[in-house]
Amino acid sequence: MSERASAAIRSVMAAVVRNEEPRRDATAAVRLVVVAASYIATSWLGETERVVVAGNQVISPLWLPSGIALTYLLYWGMRTWPGIALGALFSELTFLPWHYPLADVGIIAGNTLAPICAYLMLRQVGFRVELGRLRDGLALVFLGALAGTLVNPTLAVGALVLSGRVPADSFWTAWSAWWTGNALGVLVVTPLLLTVRRVRVPRDVPFLQWAEAAALLVGTVVVTFGVTSTSLSLLFLVFPLLIWAALRFQLAGAAPCALVVSVGAVTSATHHTGPFAHHGLVATMVNLQALNGAAALTALLLAAITTERNNTRRKVEDACQELAEVVAHLAPG
């Protein structure tokens, strides 16, 4: 190749790189706007259902933005963290009636760092967004939800105590409520969003299977409404539906049903109706978080186990088919 041809190729490649850079920058900017807008929108939803804990501090028992932020990090990587910080900043300045610099900084830092810590730990153990293995379900529960969100209440409630918004002797009460709200946001929202992105309309699905899915969803809504509207302790009736969803439809069925159960329970608890009507704040929060946590764990882990079992069975069937073809090819005659 002549020197002139080489120079022409280098010139073309440089032009292509220069054209690609603005496109990548525009894509990154759009992603940051999407992350921030999603965070702000879900934080508004979280602010509509709140409970008052120590020091008249308002805390959401199901903080949806924590699951939103972790999902974006899992799909788009660390480049999205400025969007999370921007969303946390606007949410803090928009929806809170009071502003104290130290408390604001602590809350914004906690909301930003918690999903980042969860993402880094999940990446360290080789987490797969398909959630097709039991180890992925366990990692999301214990690293993404329970361990990764510890930094949020520590920074936020610590800043509230230092600024005088929360009494020092009420630190652990506020801390536990803040932590469970963030952890449940990851447990309920992240599996649902990871499933939605991969959902494709299946072909050649029997009508009875569509009818079964519709009956499952309607039944979950009806049962959840029923058990959260009566003063009887019937919350356990939602678990057969969650098990049914996980066994028959894996995460695509279990995640929406778990979300329905959690939203219904949170609404009942914050309005002090149904089984939460005659309990104090501490008892209400314990019952609510126990129900939501158990529902999310049941749906997520059972769906992951079922998916892993189905994948293993398909691999065994494929291996048997290949072996049969090899035997048929080698057989005499």
Side-chain angles (χ1 to χ4, degrees):
M1 182 181 296
S2 65
E3 183 177 351
R4 180 177 298 178
S6 299
I9 292 176
R10 287 196 298 269
S11 177
V12 171
M13 293 301 295
V16 170
V17 171
R18 287 194 298 270
N19 291 332
E20 287 294 330
E21 288 179 354
R23 185 177 303 175
R24 286 197 297 267
D25 294 340
T27 301
V30 170
R31 286 181 175 179
L32 293 182
V33 172
V34 170
V35 172
S38 302
Y39 195 102
I40 295 170
T42 51
S43 65
W44 176 80
L45 290 175
E47 292 293 332
T48 60
E49 300 294 340
R50 304 176 296 178
V51 295
V52 180
V53 297
N56 293 325
Q57 177 61 34
V58 177
I59 295 177
S60 173
L62 179 60
W63 187 241
L64 302 177
S66 60
I68 293 286
L70 179 57
T71 304
Y72 281 126
L73 286 169
L74 290 172
Y75 276 128
W76 292 341
M78 283 293 294
R79 297 178 182 177
T80 59
W81 78 262
I84 298 172
L86 188 62
L89 173 62
F90 274 88
S91 299
E92 182 72 11
L93 298 179
T94 303
F95 299 121
L96 290 184
W98 48 264
H99 296 289
Y100 295 85
L102 180 59
D104 289 342
V105 171
I107 294 173
I108 294 170
N111 286 333
T112 303
L113 291 176
I116 292 176
C117 292
Y119 166 71
L120 292 177
M121 286 191 290
L122 290 176
R123 191 176 66 174
Q124 189 68 26
V125 298
F127 176 79
R128 297 179 184 176
V129 296
E130 294 83 7
L131 285 173
R133 305 174 299 175
L134 177 59
R135 59 178 293 184
D136 296 326
L138 293 173
L140 183 61
V141 171
F142 291 102
L143 297 181
L146 301 182
T149 56
L150 289 173
V151 66
N152 195 342
T154 303
L155 292 177
V157 179
L160 290 170
V161 170
L162 293 177
S163 63
R165 292 295 305 173
V166 172
D169 57 354
S170 301
F171 173 85
W172 289 112
T173 301
W175 186 94
S176 59
W178 201 295
W179 174 61
T180 51
N182 278 266
L184 287 175
V186 173
L187 283 176
V188 173
V189 176
T190 300
L192 178 64
L193 295 181
L194 293 179
T195 302
V196 167
R197 180 167 177 175
R198 295 182 292 105
V199 166
R200 300 291 184 272
V201 178
R203 299 178 179 178
D204 301 327
V205 175
F207 172 78
L208 290 179
Q209 191 169 356
W210 284 109
E212 180 185 3
L216 173 62
L217 183 59
V218 172
T220 303
V221 173
V222 171
V223 171
T224 300
F225 177 79
V227 299
T228 55
S229 300
T230 178
S231 59
L232 300 176
S233 299
L234 299 176
L235 294 173
F236 59 89
L237 292 179
V238 301
F239 287 96
L241 294 168
L242 295 173
I243 296 172
W244 176 17
L247 292 177
R248 291 290 293 152
F249 301 99
Q250 289 77 60
L251 198 61
C257 290
L259 179 63
V260 169
V261 171
S262 296
V263 170
V266 168
T267 303
S268 177
T270 54
H271 291 85
H272 301 286
T273 60
F276 305 100
H278 305 294
H279 296 288
L281 176 62
V282 176
T284 297
M285 289 298 295
V286 169
N287 290 330
L288 173 64
Q289 307 301 14
L291 171 65
N292 286 343
L297 284 172
T298 300
L300 177 58
L301 296 184
L302 188 56
I305 292 173
T306 305
T307 301
E308 187 174 38
R309 182 200 64 187
N310 292 342
N311 292 338
T312 302
R313 184 189 63 190
R314 281 193 291 268
K315 290 179 180 178
V316 171
E317 292 175 350
D318 293 340
C320 291
Q321 180 64 28
E322 293 177 359
L323 181 60
E325 294 175 357
V326 170
V327 171
H329 179 73
L330 297 178

